[in-house]
Amino acid sequence: MRAVGYTPEAAIADLIDNSISAQARSIDVEYDAQKQPFVAILDDGTGMNSDELESAMRHGSRNPSELRDQNDLGRFGLGLKTASLSQCRRLTVISKREGLVTALRWDLDVVASAKRWLVVVPDMEDLEQLPLYSRMANLQSGTLVIWQQLDRFAAGSSDIVKEMTIKFSGLREHLALIFHRFTSREDGNAALNIRINGLALPRKDPFLRTNSYRQPLEGQRFKHQRGVVVVTPFVLPPISKLSKEEIELSGGAEGLRGTQGFYVYRNRRLVIWGTWFRLVPKQEFYKLTRIQVDIPNTFDELWSLDIKKSAAQPPEFIRTRLRELIPHFAGASKRTVTYEGRRTDPPGFSPVWSRYEPKHGSFRYEVNVDHPAVLAFSESLDEVRGRQFESLLSVISIGLPAESIYADMCGDTRPAKNENELSELIAIAIGLEKLTGLSPEEIADIDPLIRHPNHRANILKALKK
């Protein structure tokens, strides 16, 4: 049971699930390895009486098929014990309800010595020496979980301090993502306060709800006899509309491309994310697509939810529906990547660059000879100059660094901001007007000016002036 495969982050997340199920509004995770290494999780939830704590310490204390409260984040009745003992040899749980403090402990050395599953009842003198006990005792109600003798946690390391630093380096980011819907106000729910060694979790939002350029798409509700699955798709703004902070907020270390796809939430708790469930491969054009999937805890068996609550697979009837919806969701993302910032194309729109498919499965880009500026300039040339101009366009088209552009676009690095963008666009507009003789409105609809709708009014004003 200790080898189920919990990471330290997943193990702590499992314990936080219990705190949330106990209606905690504040959760503190603290750890230290200087003297006597420990990890402790303290909450101000409803706490447990002696009978409830005894049941909670029993392995497999709940039948996973039992109907749970709709906000319960548990399932197998194994999380508290299995998650904790996957990291340590001594697990102490202290809980307070109605002024009464109860404590029980699993000590694997005692179990091994007695060759029986004997739970230890710590005395008060022992409890008072434990980390965070005084803070727990001052709460009206709550629960304190303490890991000691971190053998699995520090396995293979001679420096527990260094090992703890390394293994918990990603803890704040992990918990911030898993519980991001709890730590922010949502649908009338108060924000949950989670701290790690006194520091609040950083803000995470894979859907960038505060960015006005984000595109919410029409969602779906799948009804089933066990409940309702709610699918809510979003297309993130193009890279040029994102700050560095927003890229980190939505993608983090894996980047936008690595975090595209479905985000499955069980009672608002993130279970699995950044996957298409092998329905489609991850692609550059899909990197802005995020699909929020909310499932109730009555779907656990259908979704093959594992003990760690870190893996799930959609059942066939949902997988079929999702497969049908993906082209619609991903299509909006593709348009955002390809035509970022551009208004709807007017009749007769001609891009500067044209895409050609010489044969099936291949493509190339060439300067569009029908672009108004190119056409007007070529018509002003004599025959000799005209042929030279055609050769120049061929050189420019063949020299397009497609591979380098693709490599840059695959990353999350934003294009350099042009501080003189408006003045350069106005200069281009004036040059196009002299070259083509078109009206100001027609000039503003020429590529690349049409790609900058935020400057359209100023461009028209400058041309008419």
Side-chain angles (χ1 to χ4, degrees):
M1 292 182 68
R2 303 189 75 196
V4 167
Y6 275 99
T7 63
E9 296 97 330
I12 290 178
D14 220 338
L15 300 188
I16 291 177
D17 287 343
N18 295 336
S19 297
I20 294 174
S21 295
Q23 303 173 33
R25 299 314 320 154
S26 180
I27 302 171
D28 281 284
V29 179
E30 297 205 4
Y31 58 88
D32 190 11
Q34 294 296 333
K35 295 181 179 179
Q36 295 181 335
F38 75 90
V39 177
I41 297 92
L42 172 65
D43 70 57
D44 62 354
T46 56
M48 294 175 281
N49 59 34
S50 58
D51 290 339
E52 290 170 332
L53 177 56
E54 183 178 341
S55 177
M57 294 294 276
R58 182 179 296 114
H59 288 77
S61 57
R62 288 288 299 272
N63 185 335
S65 299
E66 287 181 4
L67 185 64
R68 290 179 174 268
D69 181 271
Q70 64 177 359
N71 295 318
D72 194 338
L73 295 180
R75 186 188 180 199
F76 294 97
L78 287 168
L80 170 63
K81 289 77 62 177
T82 310
S84 299
L85 296 177
S86 72
Q87 308 297 317
C88 70
R89 294 189 64 81
R90 178 182 292 176
L91 162 66
T92 305
V93 182
I94 311 165
S95 200
K96 183 178 182 181
R97 177 185 282 187
E98 298 178 350
L100 181 62
V101 175
T102 308
L104 290 176
R105 170 182 294 156
W106 278 123
D107 189 326
L108 297 188
D109 291 330
V110 172
V111 173
S113 176
K115 298 183 179 179
R116 296 170 56 200
W117 281 101
L118 294 179
V119 70
V120 176
V121 182
D123 57 34
M124 184 55 65
E125 184 178 353
D126 186 4
L127 295 180
E128 291 175 348
Q129 302 302 314
L130 294 175
L132 276 66
Y133 175 78
S134 59
R135 286 164 55 183
M136 196 280 306
N138 289 329
L139 294 174
Q140 185 173 356
S141 63
T143 299
L144 172 61
V145 178
I146 302 172
W147 299 348
Q148 294 173 301
Q149 297 183 14
L150 306 172
D151 63 333
R152 287 267 177 147
F153 182 90
S157 175
S158 59
D159 188 342
I160 180 64
V161 176
K162 183 177 180 180
E163 190 70 12
M164 186 170 280
T165 301
I166 293 173
K167 287 194 173 179
F168 279 157
S169 61
L171 178 62
R172 298 180 74 246
E173 294 290 326
H174 180 80
L175 297 183
L177 181 60
I178 294 292
F179 299 106
H180 75 92
R181 293 175 67 181
F182 290 91
T183 54
S184 60
R185 297 181 63 87
E186 181 185 83
D187 299 332
N189 294 293
L192 174 64
N193 187 14
I194 302 178
R195 294 178 293 265
I196 300 179
N197 282 351
L199 295 177
L201 294 182
R203 193 167 69 92
K204 281 288 182 183
D205 181 7
F207 305 104
L208 295 180
R209 288 174 172 81
T210 58
N211 190 302
S212 59
Y213 289 95
R214 186 193 67 158
Q215 302 176 54
L217 304 179
E218 183 180 357
Q220 299 282 335
R221 294 173 66 89
F222 304 153
K223 293 185 178 180
H224 186 269
Q225 60 186 13
R226 296 201 182 190
V228 178
V229 176
V230 181
V231 179
T232 311
F234 301 94
V235 175
L236 300 187
I239 295 292
S240 62
K241 303 299 182 183
L242 297 177
S243 65
K244 291 182 179 179
E245 292 74 19
E246 286 177 320
I247 292 175
E248 178 66 25
L249 184 68
S250 62
E254 296 182 68
L256 294 175
R257 196 177 194 277
T259 52
Q260 62 182 272
F262 295 107
Y263 285 66
V264 180
Y265 294 84
R266 176 180 179 266
N267 292 351
R268 298 171 60 217
R269 194 265 205 201
L270 187 58
V271 175
I272 189 170
W273 63 94
T275 177
W276 289 112
F277 294 121
R278 298 186 179 181
L279 299 176
V280 293
K282 288 188 175 182
Q283 297 184 30
E284 177 65 16
F285 282 130
Y286 294 169
K287 75 177 183 180
L288 299 179
T289 306
R290 304 283 186 280
I291 304 174
Q292 178 177 311
V293 182
D294 283 288
I295 64 173
N297 57 16
T298 52
F299 273 65
D300 289 350
E301 185 178 353
L302 292 176
W303 279 77
S304 303
L305 186 72
D306 72 347
I307 290 176
K308 303 186 298 296
K309 294 190 285 288
S310 60
Q313 283 294 326
E316 179 61 29
F317 83 96
I318 291 180
R319 192 163 57 246
T320 300
R321 297 290 298 275
L322 294 178
R323 184 183 292 110
E324 294 170 352
L325 293 172
I326 285 175
H328 168 64
F329 300 155
S333 178
K334 182 175 181 178
R335 288 191 297 273
T336 303
V337 172
T338 309
Y339 304 109
E340 74 174 65
R342 198 168 85 194
R343 301 186 314 128
T344 303
D345 296 345
F349 170 78
S350 293
V352 174
W353 292 88
S354 293
R355 184 178 186 274
Y356 295 94
E357 295 187 8
K359 58 183 179 180
H360 181 69
S362 66
F363 68 91
R364 72 173 186 267
Y365 283 88
E366 296 180 356
V367 176
N368 181 15
V369 295
D370 293 323
H371 185 276
V374 177
L375 196 60
F377 184 73
S378 63
E379 289 177 348
S380 69
L381 303 175
D382 58 32
E383 184 177 352
V384 174
R385 283 292 190 181
R387 288 197 297 271
Q388 292 174 340
F389 183 55
E390 289 179 5
S391 298
L392 176 60
L393 293 183
S394 297
V395 170
I396 295 173
S397 297
I398 294 174
L400 179 70
E403 292 82 3
S404 297
I405 294 173
Y406 178 76
D408 286 334
M409 294 301 294
C410 282
D412 294 337
T413 305
R414 301 171 71 245
K417 186 174 181 180
N418 186 355
E419 301 294 341
N420 302 313
E421 183 177 74
L422 177 58
S423 59
E424 290 182 5
L425 292 174
I426 290 175
I428 290 173
I430 293 173
L432 287 172
E433 184 181 40
K434 293 178 179 179
L435 179 64
T436 63
L438 297 174
S439 68
E441 287 75 14
E442 290 172 320
I443 294 295
D445 284 335
I446 292 178
D447 191 24
L449 300 179
I450 196 175
R451 299 178 186 270
H452 302 272
N454 53 316
H455 293 314
R456 180 180 175 82
N458 288 325
I459 291 173
L460 288 174
K461 182 178 178 181
L463 288 173
K464 293 177 180 178
K465 184 178 179 181

